[in-house]
Amino acid sequence: MLALVRGPVLAVVGLPLSILLFVLSLVSIALLPIGVGVISTPPTQLAVRWYANQRRRLVREWGGFEVPEPYQPWPRELRSGVVGQVERCVLLLKDPATWRDMAWLSADMTAGFVTALLPPLLPVNHQLTKAMLEPTREMLLAQRVEQLYETRHDAVDTSAAELRRIERDLHDGAQARLVAMGMSLGTIEALVERDPARAKQMIAQARENSAEALNELRDLVRGIHPPVLAERGLPDALRALALRMPVPVEEDIELPGRFDEPVESAVYFAVSELLTNAAKHAEAGKVWLDVLYAPAAGGGGSVIRVTVTDDGKGGASLEGGSGLGGVQRRLAQFDGALALSSPRGGPTMITLEVPAEPVTG
């Protein structure tokens, strides 16, 4: 019965849209030599991609088939708005998926229209759309290469930023205290015979400075790799982290032993960022932390899955230079992913997954 309704609706709505977008695309490309197409092609092709994505969604909802997007990722410069109109147009036209979309539009307004009109042939329309809109093996490989390039770039940026932070903390903290302590010791050496009382006072101050420098060095080391994480593993480290939060954190952590150190460190600092955000920015009264080891959603291995939920004001975003965006980029270095649900008014739920295997022996 559903096919009797879906088919005609798809045909009536899809035919004019497919014809319109196909004609606009041809005209825009034809106008490229005189420069007009440079302006009209990007918005036209983005409209085609939007329409193709809607049809991918229908294939998923009506036919149960997943049709991933085949488009090449936008370069970092384009996402930040630095790239001009000409470069944007060239990037779109160099993407093989653009031309597959064009071929699909021509097929959709002919064979697709006929199969949509005839209810028994509607499944053929889901299969045709899937075959023409899903990425080829070459596209998937290109996407993976681009993703690896991006994650390597992010890893280099993160490492450089971490080194700068360590240098700044050492320069402004422990190093400054140690230099001051060295100068004090020189003064004490000169005063020890002339003014023993003053020398004794300065020795006490130098002892206090050395203790503070030691604490700052410990804090610095803890920021690089927390001792509790190295000594007791990820579950205990996350529990200790939850206890230090200024808001109540209800935790449920089930992990089978130890994992590779880089993975444990990535998960630890990601959770630290999420809990800190909930406490500082979400105005949350309570936070729930759930951590488990589970099969990956798409099969093929297992993941550490972390869910952080808070009852705060919501409105969190991955856009711009947000801390959550930084967490997402750092997790991508381990093929990890982050999903966010944060409507205005709350609650906020953030789920992250990192592929991992327990360390044996």
Side-chain angles (χ1 to χ4, degrees):
M1 283 297 295
L2 284 175
L4 294 175
V5 177
R6 288 172 171 172
V9 170
L10 183 62
V12 170
V13 175
L15 178 62
L17 277 176
S18 294
I19 292 176
L20 175 64
L21 290 172
F22 184 73
V23 171
L24 287 175
S25 297
L26 287 182
V27 172
S28 293
I29 293 171
L31 293 175
L32 282 172
I34 62 173
V36 177
V38 174
I39 299 174
S40 59
T41 296
T44 300
Q45 289 306 315
L46 292 177
V48 171
R49 292 186 175 193
W50 174 85
Y51 178 51
N53 283 334
Q54 301 310 305
R55 294 295 293 273
R56 291 186 181 95
R57 180 179 58 81
L58 289 182
V59 169
R60 182 178 67 251
E61 294 177 356
W62 293 2
F65 302 112
E66 283 294 332
V67 186
E69 292 187 24
Y71 309 113
Q72 293 179 356
W74 292 109
R76 181 186 301 265
E77 297 81 5
L78 187 58
R79 293 198 298 268
S80 62
V82 175
V83 174
Q85 189 73 7
V86 174
E87 290 85 354
R88 187 184 300 266
C89 183
V90 170
L91 287 168
L92 282 166
L93 294 178
K94 286 174 63 177
D95 190 342
T98 296
W99 303 102
R100 279 174 61 87
D101 283 352
M102 292 281 291
W104 167 73
L105 286 174
S106 64
D108 189 62
M109 63 191 190
T110 52
F113 175 72
V114 173
T115 54
L117 277 180
L118 303 174
L121 295 181
L122 187 59
V124 176
N125 187 288
H126 296 142
Q127 291 285 355
L128 175 68
T129 303
K130 178 179 183 297
M132 298 197 72
L133 290 183
E134 67 182 354
T136 63
R137 185 174 179 276
E138 290 75 16
M139 288 178 176
L140 290 173
L141 182 60
Q143 286 179 338
R144 181 58 177 159
V145 169
E146 183 64 27
Q147 182 186 27
L148 290 173
Y149 172 80
E150 287 287 324
T151 55
R152 187 190 68 174
H153 195 286
D154 288 334
V156 172
D157 286 350
T158 301
S159 297
E162 186 67 9
L163 283 174
R164 287 195 297 271
R165 181 187 70 82
I166 293 170
E167 290 171 354
R168 184 176 62 251
D169 290 349
L170 282 172
H171 181 272
D172 297 342
Q175 179 179 322
R177 292 191 183 279
L178 290 173
V179 170
M181 190 170 63
M183 295 173 65
S184 296
L185 289 174
T187 305
I188 291 168
E189 188 177 13
L191 289 174
V192 72
E193 293 183 359
R194 292 190 296 106
D195 191 349
R198 176 62 177 158
K200 187 181 295 185
Q201 188 179 27
M202 294 189 68
I203 289 172
Q205 182 63 44
R207 185 183 299 112
E208 183 179 335
N209 283 340
S210 69
E212 290 179 359
L214 183 59
N215 287 333
E216 288 176 353
L217 287 172
R218 285 172 177 165
D219 290 340
L220 184 63
V221 171
R222 190 177 295 114
I224 299 171
H225 194 75
V228 66
L229 181 60
E231 297 166 5
R232 300 171 58 184
L234 187 57
D236 284 346
L238 293 179
R239 292 187 184 101
L241 186 63
L243 288 173
R244 293 203 304 269
M245 288 296 114
V247 295
V249 178
E250 183 177 311
E251 45 88 2
D252 183 9
I253 302 172
E254 298 181 12
L255 293 175
R258 301 301 302 265
F259 298 86
D260 288 334
E261 283 190 10
V263 171
E264 288 190 338
S265 183
V267 173
Y268 176 87
F269 285 110
V271 172
S272 176
E273 179 80 16
L274 300 185
L275 293 180
T276 301
N277 281 351
K280 291 177 63 175
H281 305 300
E283 300 178 6
K286 189 171 184 180
V287 181
W288 292 264
L289 170 64
D290 298 287
V291 186
L292 73 156
Y293 187 65
S302 299
V303 296
I304 298 174
R305 182 176 297 132
V306 177
T307 303
V308 176
T309 309
D310 69 65
D311 60 358
K313 63 182 180 180
S317 172
L318 295 172
E319 302 300 324
S322 70
L324 293 180
V327 172
Q328 186 180 47
R329 290 190 295 273
R330 288 194 294 273
L331 292 177
Q333 300 167 22
F334 299 88
D335 285 335
L338 184 148
L340 169 67
S341 173
S342 185
R344 291 288 177 183
T348 294
M349 175 182 289
I350 304 172
T351 301
L352 63 88
E353 292 187 350
V354 180
E357 295 294 333
V359 176
T360 58

